Amino acid sequence: MTSDHVTRRGLFQGGAALAATAPLVSQAMAAPAQPSSKGTPMSPVELTVNGREVHLQLDPRTTLLDALREHLHLTGTKKGCDHGQCGACTVIVEGRRINSCLTLAVMHDGEKVTTIEGLGTPEALHPMQKAFIVHDGYQCGYCTPGQICSAVSVLEEIDAGIPSHVTEDLAQVAFSDAELRERMSGNICRCAAYSNIIAAMRDVAGETQA
Ligand code: FES
Ligand code: FES
């Protein structure tokens, strides 16, 4: 094991520790934002983020990604391209994964949002977070929160029998590497940890082979 390897794990654990403190931050940020100094009408938005109700006053043009990062300080969710092309901003809304950069926060008034901070804690990691560590499913880690949110949702989609572009038998969605790769194709990893991400997902799904 190289010292570089140890450092990356340390970074991941540090990030997980930061995530554990996020609910406190979101509670502190639940107070309404100040009205825009330019007179832009602000819209009230209520969300349940990682199990906690938050009340915001937002410029209606605020994306869900910016509401999470800039207003609630939940910076686990990353801004990569801000154009729906990289998947770094993936969060789970009402049980479905979405690119939070492509949707406005006001469109999700009253909805439940789960971010990487809500999946697990440093003391009790989500199985997918554990599997990413075990299988080295990351290097720099920038894409990792989005990858993990997507990976959790992908297994639920397969379990629910939701077909993908590569599903051969629509009546019975088979678990395979091809299904995983297709469904994860919206999450780009500049470090190319793709094979290890698939291994982590197989591990969590209890599959030993494709
Ligand atoms: Fe949303 Fe890239 S930041 S898809
Ligand atoms: Fe670096 Fe994916 S781990 S971009």
Side-chain angles (χ1 to χ4, degrees):
M1 181 181 293
T2 67
S3 58
D4 177 56
H5 187 88
V6 171
T7 300
R8 283 188 281 111
R9 285 178 185 248
L11 277 173
F12 190 94
Q13 287 161 354
L18 201 60
T21 65
L24 297 176
V25 173
S26 74
Q27 187 175 39
M29 292 302 295
Q34 293 298 314
S36 163
S37 60
K38 294 179 181 173
T40 304
M42 306 296 268
S43 298
V45 179
E46 292 185 18
L47 301 170
T48 302
V49 182
N50 301 330
R52 189 177 299 275
E53 282 187 21
V54 296
H55 304 266
L56 299 168
Q57 294 286 336
L58 298 175
D59 182 317
R61 297 166 294 185
T62 306
T63 64
L64 179 60
L65 174 59
D66 284 343
L68 293 170
R69 287 182 56 85
E70 307 300 332
H71 293 262
L72 297 175
H73 295 184
L74 292 170
T75 53
T77 305
K78 298 294 186 260
K79 181 180 285 190
C81 64
D82 211 18
H83 284 84
Q85 295 175 346
C86 72
C89 65
T90 305
V91 297
I92 302 168
V93 177
E94 294 289 316
R96 294 183 60 193
R97 58 188 170 131
I98 64 170
N99 289 338
S100 59
C101 72
L102 285 185
T103 189
L104 300 175
V106 293
M107 296 166 63
H108 300 284
D109 187 36
E111 294 186 348
K112 294 185 177 69
V113 180
T114 302
T115 70
I116 188 69
E117 291 94 339
L119 284 179
T121 67
E123 297 75 28
L125 292 174
H126 186 283
M128 193 64 77
Q129 291 173 313
K130 284 185 192 168
F132 266 62
I133 294 172
V134 169
H135 293 279
D136 267 345
Y138 55 92
Q139 289 188 41
C140 77
Y142 196 80
C143 73
T144 308
Q147 299 278 5
I148 290 177
C149 284
S150 256
V152 168
S153 291
V154 161
L155 296 190
E156 291 174 357
E157 289 164 14
I158 293 175
D159 272 352
I162 298 171
S164 78
H165 191 61
V166 300
T167 302
E168 292 182 4
D169 181 359
L170 297 183
Q172 185 171 10
V173 179
F175 188 97
S176 68
D177 278 9
E179 282 286 354
L180 297 183
R181 291 185 189 283
E182 165 63 19
R183 291 167 191 266
M184 293 296 289
S185 61
N187 289 82
I188 307 302
C189 177
R190 194 181 71 161
C191 301
Y194 298 114
S195 297
N196 295 355
I197 290 171
I198 296 300
M201 293 176 71
R202 270 206 312 260
D203 191 355
V204 174
E207 298 281 338
T208 55
Q209 59 184 25

